[in-house]
Amino acid sequence: MARLKFGAFLAPHHPIGEHPMLQFRRDLDLVEQLDALGYDEFWCGEHHSSGWEMIASPEMFLAAAGERTKRIKLGTGVISLPYHHPFNVAQRMVQLDHMTGGRAIFGSGPGALASDAHTLGIDPMTQRDRQDEAIGVIRRLFNGERVTAKSDWFTMNDAALQILPLQEEMPFVVASQISPSGMTLAGKYGIGIISLGSMTTQGLMSLQQQWQFAEDAAKKHGTKVNRADWRVLLTFHIAETREQARREAGAGLMRWHNEYNVGTLQRPGLTAFSSPDEAVDNTAFVEGAASTIGTPDDLVKTIKNVMEVSGGVGAIIGFVHDWANPENTRRSWDMVARYVVPEINGYIDGLRKSQKFVIENRAIFERAGQAVMAKIMENEKAAEALKVTGVGRVAIPAVNAPDLQKEAAKR
């Protein structure tokens, strides 16, 4: 099985009340930690309203993150294309790619918050068509073409990039919720996908159908989509025990749900939780739960279920949240890297097989120990020294050690 990639997605979702400067710095600290732990990708988004999401320029944030990190890929998750002139987006992404040494991933979307579109005076009915139009133009610019184009929202006259991306082919990724539009767009252009709707039970169970939308669109447009380029977003908080994870995440989860999802966005069908325990139970311990609050083994089970219901994806991207305090949040990401990633990708299978082989072939290795002891007993001084050092103080299995008193009697 191909190795599964792992990453993090920072919207961000920070409760209102903390100094924004310190939030930015803590988020950069997290990217640095994830890079050191071996995570493959880090994503951050673009928002202009709601209070909880305060990164307006993912390119600026990722440029700063690039200076703190060495190998982790840095993705815009996402740039809302209808909010920008496509030429400016292309320019900024090229600059980001060069500034990060070829680690940029270009993720785009139509814009997630209706309040953002309202702020910018954009008709929500035009957003998805504009994203499609912008992707087509940006791909041409990245290919080195000189583009002249006139639209109802932008104009280009003989536009060409002065420098091209550092990567031979910068990855293109589109965001997908539960509607087919994102997957269809990925299929049209033969590009990657990051599924954001998988954080809900409904979105998780629809993954297989979602992929079918992408394949149908690819077939229609003569392109190909690859499951290795499909990223699925999950929410989790991990600790040594389920009880500890529950204690650490409950209050923050309740606040996030009540103040953000219910109170701010007023998502249809959602009601406020009355206690942290109710928040945890209804988020992570209901039938078909898409979130995991528990141990590394619980998250391993969730990921294996995602692979089964989806038919296979290329990356699991964890959603960054403030359910727990900063210290416990960092420890959760650390535990995922230490225990979940190697279990999923088989990094410790060889160690387990090696241990099992030694246990099951004990007789072979005892024979080797007997040969060592025979050599020791051939030398009187070595035999005398063994009386002092004792069998328990040398790297020889006790079962192979001779009876020293019996050996002395023989002599």
Side-chain angles (χ1 to χ4, degrees):
M1 183 179 71
R3 185 177 77 85
L4 197 62
K5 292 182 179 179
F6 284 81
F9 185 100
L10 176 75
H13 280 191
H14 292 316
I16 300 170
E18 184 177 337
H19 197 312
M21 177 191 72
L22 298 180
Q23 287 179 329
F24 286 134
R25 290 182 177 178
R26 193 171 74 242
D27 290 337
L28 288 170
D29 289 342
L30 176 63
V31 189
E32 194 170 1
Q33 177 196 10
L34 298 177
D35 183 55
L37 289 172
Y39 283 89
D40 300 287
E41 299 176 354
F42 178 86
W43 298 76
C44 97
E46 172 193 358
H47 301 92
H48 307 281
S49 57
S50 90
W52 278 61
E53 299 164 285
M54 21 70 76
I55 290 180
S57 172
E59 305 98 318
M60 288 181 67
F61 183 90
L62 295 176
E67 291 300 299
R68 289 195 182 203
T69 56
K70 297 177 180 178
R71 49 166 298 281
I72 195 168
K73 297 281 189 178
L74 302 168
T76 56
V78 293
I79 295 176
S80 300
L81 291 182
Y83 302 170
H84 309 276
H85 193 293
F87 186 80
N88 289 334
V89 173
Q91 289 264 58
R92 293 197 300 267
M93 285 305 305
V94 167
Q95 181 170 330
L96 179 63
D97 199 38
H98 280 266
M99 291 180 67
T100 59
R103 291 187 282 144
I105 303 174
F106 175 39
S108 74
L113 296 179
S115 52
D116 285 354
H118 172 76
T119 298
L120 296 169
I122 297 172
D123 181 356
M125 299 301 292
T126 67
Q127 287 176 253
R128 283 160 181 77
D129 289 340
R130 289 185 176 186
Q131 181 194 5
D132 185 350
E133 188 176 16
I135 288 176
V137 169
I138 292 170
R139 282 167 64 88
R140 292 176 62 192
L141 291 169
F142 279 6
N143 288 333
E145 295 183 34
R146 188 171 292 279
V147 178
T148 295
K150 187 174 181 59
S151 173
D152 60 348
W153 62 290
F154 71 85
T155 299
M156 288 188 194
N157 296 318
D158 299 319
L161 297 175
Q162 295 186 103
I163 54 174
L164 298 179
L166 182 60
Q167 299 176 80
E168 186 173 359
E169 188 172 347
M170 185 190 298
F172 271 64
V173 177
V174 293
S176 172
Q177 295 279 356
I178 296 178
S179 74
S181 60
M183 302 299 279
T184 301
L185 196 59
K188 176 180 178 178
Y189 290 105
I191 56 181
I193 306 141
I194 183 165
S195 290
L196 310 182
S198 51
M199 292 192 297
T200 67
T201 300
Q202 180 186 3
L204 188 63
M205 298 310 297
S206 70
L207 286 175
Q208 187 64 265
Q209 179 60 57
Q210 292 284 306
W211 184 252
Q212 191 62 53
F213 290 141
E215 288 194 325
D216 290 346
K219 184 177 180 181
K220 176 180 177 181
H221 293 277
T223 63
K224 291 183 179 180
V225 284
N226 190 336
R227 287 182 179 268
D229 299 324
W230 186 13
R231 299 156 176 88
V232 169
L233 205 62
L234 294 179
T235 49
F236 49 77
H237 179 73
I238 303 303
E240 283 81 358
T241 66
R242 287 184 181 178
E243 293 73 20
Q244 182 178 343
R246 173 185 289 269
R247 287 195 305 271
E248 293 174 355
L253 168 60
M254 178 178 170
R255 182 179 182 184
W256 172 73
H257 176 84
N258 290 359
E259 292 186 17
Y260 177 72
N261 290 312
V262 177
T264 303
L265 298 188
Q266 303 176 42
R267 296 190 188 279
L270 294 184
T271 57
F273 294 134
S274 59
S275 70
D277 279 337
E278 182 189 1
V280 172
D281 288 338
N282 283 276
T283 301
F285 294 100
V286 293
E287 185 68 27
S291 299
T292 303
I293 297 174
T295 67
D297 288 342
D298 292 326
L299 184 54
V300 167
K301 183 178 178 181
T302 296
I303 292 171
K304 288 182 176 179
N305 180 59
V306 168
M307 297 300 284
E308 182 178 348
V309 300
S310 66
V313 303
I316 296 295
I317 308 297
F319 186 81
V320 180
H321 48 68
D322 286 351
W323 294 354
N325 65 32
E327 294 75 22
N328 291 332
T329 297
R330 289 172 66 89
R331 187 163 50 82
S332 173
W333 287 99
D334 179 81
M335 292 188 72
V336 173
R338 290 166 62 196
Y339 301 114
V340 177
V341 173
E343 187 67 37
I344 290 294
N345 285 329
Y347 295 154
I348 52 181
D349 289 353
L351 297 174
R352 289 186 175 132
K353 290 177 182 176
S354 179
Q355 180 191 36
K356 183 180 179 183
F357 182 81
V358 171
I359 293 170
E360 294 179 348
N361 293 275
R362 186 70 258 158
I364 296 174
F365 309 120
E366 289 174 359
R367 174 76 174 161
Q370 290 168 3
V372 172
M373 287 306 305
K375 283 296 181 182
I376 292 175
M377 298 312 298
E378 287 176 2
N379 187 300
E380 286 192 14
K381 291 184 178 180
E384 287 298 317
L386 192 61
K387 295 178 183 179
V388 179
T389 59
V391 174
R393 300 191 185 105
V394 295
I396 300 171
V399 70
N400 299 323
D403 185 328
L404 297 181
Q405 290 181 344
K406 185 177 180 180
E407 293 293 335
K410 285 182 181 180
R411 280 170 167 67

